Each structure stands twice: as structure tokens, then as C-alpha cells.
Amino acid sequence: MYWMYLHGYYTVSLLGGGTVQIGDPSGRTTARSRQGADVQTMNIESIRRQLDKLWTHVKCLGIKHHFSPETSRKQEILNNRTWLEKLNAVELMRDLGSGMRLGTMLSRDSVKLRMESGEGMAISEFSYPLFQAYDWWSMYRNQGVQLQIGGSDQYGNICAGMDAVSHMRKIRHLESSQKEEEDPRLAAYGLTTPLLTTASGEKFGKSAGNAVWLDKTMMNSFDLYQYFMRTADADVERYLKLFTFLPLDQISLLVEQQRKDASQRIAQHILAKEIVELAHGAAEAKKAETAHKEAFSHGTNTFSLGALRNTLGTANPNAGLGAQKELSEFDMQLVEYKRAYAASSATTQPASGTSTSTSPQTKDSVITVPLSLLQPGSFPRVLHAAGLSATKSEAHRLIASKGAYVVVPMSGSVESPTSLKWAPIEAGPSVNPQHFLVDFEALVLRSGKTKIQVVRVVSDEEYDKQGLDKDKSEQVRKKLGEEAGEEAGQDARV
């Protein structure tokens, strides 16, 4: 779609503010849970804002990659609620309904699957293609949209839309000649794209446990950069063609360089930067690239003190998308909703299909914890709070297997005093995280080879002022206290 826009096609992005109230049954074995109006509003507004940013970045990338400035371009973001809430039910069934054949609708895979499973299907879901088809007719008539692009799971809906446009043209233009009706220049066309998978066939998505969030609130720029830095060599060429505006000859050259020395991961660096630039903008892409170099320029043996100080120097908990003083009440609710939604997803898996690794080194990714969390023997709870383990039990196992590391303060050599060394976190009730505070304010933790998290440590009083409301702070402390009690009980039973 973006490619077509850059080459001069009028492009429309459609929000489903109307059809979301029905729910698309495609590919589902059960009915969707009914969402509240407030949740639907949050989702639609989140997507709209994300699309606004993506289109802005696409226009900037078009300039960067030298697409002709003389090409006339136009794009628009529409919401189908605009016309669906005005739609007369009798008019819909009289005009569009008369052209939708029951046999065709019953033969759809999504319908047959539900009927054969005994789950059944509500008439609202069964009628969903009717409303999506009307969307296309509305845009065909008012915006001249002739091509609809969607994922392969939308094949049935897109075919229904093509038939609907053809039918509506016939009943609305009865005076038109048969020759004009068959004119391919006036017909509707559909284009489906295969669902994204890795070379091993693994799918992407929240349900698959490896969702890649484009919203910066849900996945910061560095994590997004790191995600695609871990792309397997077998996938990188395809991803460069799918996700970037690089010319094909340049991609071929990158892949050739990659094959000569795969360890340099030249193609992955370009891929990661281009994707972050598309999703978050050029400034964030540059920051993510710089942060990656600072964090990994010395390999996995040392960590740059300068990188840590740069991170802490810009890590203002009240800055960025979560800034309470600058955001309206609705915006704050939207931010909290998106973060909660992202947290409800399974742990993100890397594009290469290997183990997860993220290395937040940007201002939005520093985790802040109260000093009271750092007690002798509390490293498992700290790792869990930092997001480096899904559970405390997993953190215990990580430490026991020598897979958890912490940066040791003042461990740089005489020749390179700012290159601090990593050390495996030792197991035991006497190991005190406070002994590993760098510059007396931060822990730098690592899981595996590349999953790094900077943890800012503040007093309990300051923690209450870090942008978290008091109730939430108390809930965190209560949870940490309960975890400490559970851990003590586990140790006692052992």
C-alpha cells in the first residue's frame, strides 16, 4: 500500500469503527468476546494515531529514498463508522443483500468450521461480510477505490466485496451499457498478502506469543531495533523486501556482503534501522542504532559506563508518551490501556525463532524500582521485576544455571576504566543487589547473551513520585511483599 502511494496511487487506510461492533469471524473457531464501547474507542483511537505516524514516516522515507517529488500523491484515513451508522437496514438488505447468495456465504471456511464444530454462528457474525462489502461500495462510489489489499485471511471478505461492488454498480446504473459494465478499468480488484512467517514457518502475532508492537508505548525503539537485529540470515533478504523501501539492487548487494561475513550482520542492521524509522521516525531510529553500538561495542564481556550514564541522564520517568503533566485524562487512560494490553501478551519471541532477547537502552525503557526491593537474597525478585524472567522460579533457575549477570561497579581496567565487567549473579540469601549499584543509582542486569535491562533504584519516597499513582505504588509493594513471603516459604520447605 505504501509502495503504491509513493508511486502516485490515491491510498485509503480504513478503520473499522463500525464493523468492530460486530466482529470478524474469519479464522475463528469461537465467537469473539463482546467488547465494551470504551475498549472499542481505545482500540480505534490507538490505531488511528499509529496510522497518522506511519503515514508521516512513509512520506519522510519517500524523500530519503529519492522518490520523485513531482509525483502527485494523496492518502486518507477513513472510519467506516461514518457511513455505517447512517446506513438504513432496509436499504442495505434491499440493495446489497439482494446480491449476496446464501450458498456462497455458507461455503466459506469460517462458517463451515463453526457449524461442523457445533459452536454455531450468530447472525451478526454471519452478516459481517455484508457490512465489509458495503464499506468497499461506499469507498468505490465516493473515493473511487477499486483495489482492496488485505491479509490472506481476508480472502473471503475481499471476494464478497468485489461481488458486491459489481452488483451495486448494476442496480445503481441500470442505464449503463453491458459493455461499460465489463470494462476492466471500472471493475473492483482484490489483492491478498500471505500472513508473515519466519523461514521455519512460525507465525507472528499476539496469539502466537511473538507480537511485534509498532506503538512505542508498547515496544520501545531499542527493543524494536533489537528484535529485527536477531532476524535469521534465511529471513533477512525477504524482510528487507517486505518492510523497507530499499531498491532491489541495493538489497542484493547487502545480502552479498552479508554472505561474505555473516557475523557483522550488516543486513540486519539496515533492516532494523529502516523498520524503526518507519514505525517511530528517523530520530528514534538513530538513537536506537547508537544505543545498540554503545551497549554491544565491547561484546558480552563488558558494558559501557558511558552508555549507562547517557541512558540515566535522559531517563525521565515523566517524559515521553506517559507524561502526565502534558497528557489529557483520556490520553493517560489510552497509555495505560495500551501498556496493559501489551503486558497481557505472551513473551515476545525474536524474528529468528531463537530465544528472546531485548536490551532497552533508551529513556522510555529504564525500569524504576524502590530501594526497599533490594535486600540480601532478593536478586530473583529483582530479575522478575525487571522483566528478565516471567516468574521468580524462572529467575531462580536462571541464576542457578549461570545465565543471569550483573555489571560490577568500578570493574574497568586501567586502560579502559569505563568498560565495566559482567559477572554471573551468585545464588544464596546473602548476595545483596545493593552491592552492585553503579553510580549509586542503577543496576545493569542481563539474561543470556544480549537481554539487558537498566534498573534505576530510588528511595521509596521518590518512587511514589515517579509518575505512578499512590495506589499503584502500594499495590506493587504489596505484591513484592507477598512474593518475598512466598519465597521465604519455599526456602523453608526446601
Side-chain angles (χ1 to χ4, degrees), residues 208-276:
N210 61 351
V212 182
W213 308 109
L214 297 183
D215 192 307
K216 192 181 172 187
T217 310
M218 302 166 79
M219 191 174 197
N220 65 66
S221 300
F222 193 90
D223 283 347
L224 184 60
Y225 189 98
Q226 284 298 101
Y227 186 97
F228 285 98
M229 270 299 299
R230 297 187 302 276
T231 299
D233 291 340
D235 291 320
V236 69
E237 181 176 6
R238 184 163 57 96
Y239 289 179
L240 283 166
K241 293 175 180 178
L242 287 173
F243 302 139
T244 77
F245 296 107
L246 295 173
L248 292 178
D249 56 349
Q250 189 173 342
I251 292 176
S252 298
L253 181 61
L254 278 172
V255 173
E256 185 178 340
Q257 290 179 311
Q258 177 83 2
R259 289 173 182 151
K260 292 179 180 178
D261 188 357
S263 65
Q264 296 296 316
R265 304 186 75 76
I266 297 173
Q268 281 87 345
H269 274 288
I270 298 297
L271 173 67
K273 187 176 181 181
E274 288 288 318
I275 290 178
V276 175

Side-chain angles (χ1 to χ4, degrees), residues 189-401:
Y189 297 90
L191 175 63
T192 61
T193 59
L195 297 180
L196 183 63
T197 61
T198 65
S200 62
E202 182 183 358
K203 295 181 180 179
F204 285 71
K206 186 174 184 287
S207 59
N210 61 351
V212 182
W213 308 109
L214 297 183
D215 192 307
K216 192 181 172 187
T217 310
M218 302 166 79
M219 191 174 197
N220 65 66
S221 300
F222 193 90
D223 283 347
L224 184 60
Y225 189 98
Q226 284 298 101
Y227 186 97
F228 285 98
M229 270 299 299
R230 297 187 302 276
T231 299
D233 291 340
D235 291 320
V236 69
E237 181 176 6
R238 184 163 57 96
Y239 289 179
L240 283 166
K241 293 175 180 178
L242 287 173
F243 302 139
T244 77
F245 296 107
L246 295 173
L248 292 178
D249 56 349
Q250 189 173 342
I251 292 176
S252 298
L253 181 61
L254 278 172
V255 173
E256 185 178 340
Q257 290 179 311
Q258 177 83 2
R259 289 173 182 151
K260 292 179 180 178
D261 188 357
S263 65
Q264 296 296 316
R265 304 186 75 76
I266 297 173
Q268 281 87 345
H269 274 288
I270 298 297
L271 173 67
K273 187 176 181 181
E274 288 288 318
I275 290 178
V276 175
E277 193 166 345
L278 172 61
H280 299 165
E284 289 299 321
K286 184 61 178 178
K287 290 178 184 177
E289 180 185 38
T290 302
H292 173 88
K293 291 178 179 178
E294 288 181 339
F296 298 106
S297 59
H298 300 285
T300 58
N301 296 322
T302 61
F303 185 84
S304 168
L305 179 61
L308 173 63
R309 287 172 174 168
N310 288 338
T311 299
L312 294 175
T314 58
N316 179 2
N318 293 318
L321 292 176
Q324 297 185 28
K325 294 181 179 179
E326 299 178 2
L327 298 182
S328 66
E329 183 178 354
F330 175 79
D331 287 336
M332 286 301 300
Q333 292 174 353
L334 188 62
V335 168
E336 290 301 320
Y337 170 73
K338 289 190 286 188
R339 287 174 176 165
Y341 187 85
S344 70
S345 175
T347 304
T348 301
Q349 296 297 322
S352 62
T354 58
S355 60
T356 301
S357 66
T358 53
S359 305
Q361 296 296 322
T362 61
K363 65 181 181 181
D364 297 314
S365 58
V366 174
I367 289 178
T368 301
V369 301
L371 181 61
S372 58
L373 176 62
L374 275 60
Q375 301 296 332
S378 67
F379 256 125
R381 296 203 306 277
V382 175
L383 288 169
H384 179 44
L388 295 179
S389 65
T391 64
K392 298 189 304 299
S393 298
E394 181 182 315
H396 277 288
R397 291 193 295 271
L398 192 65
I399 292 173
S401 64

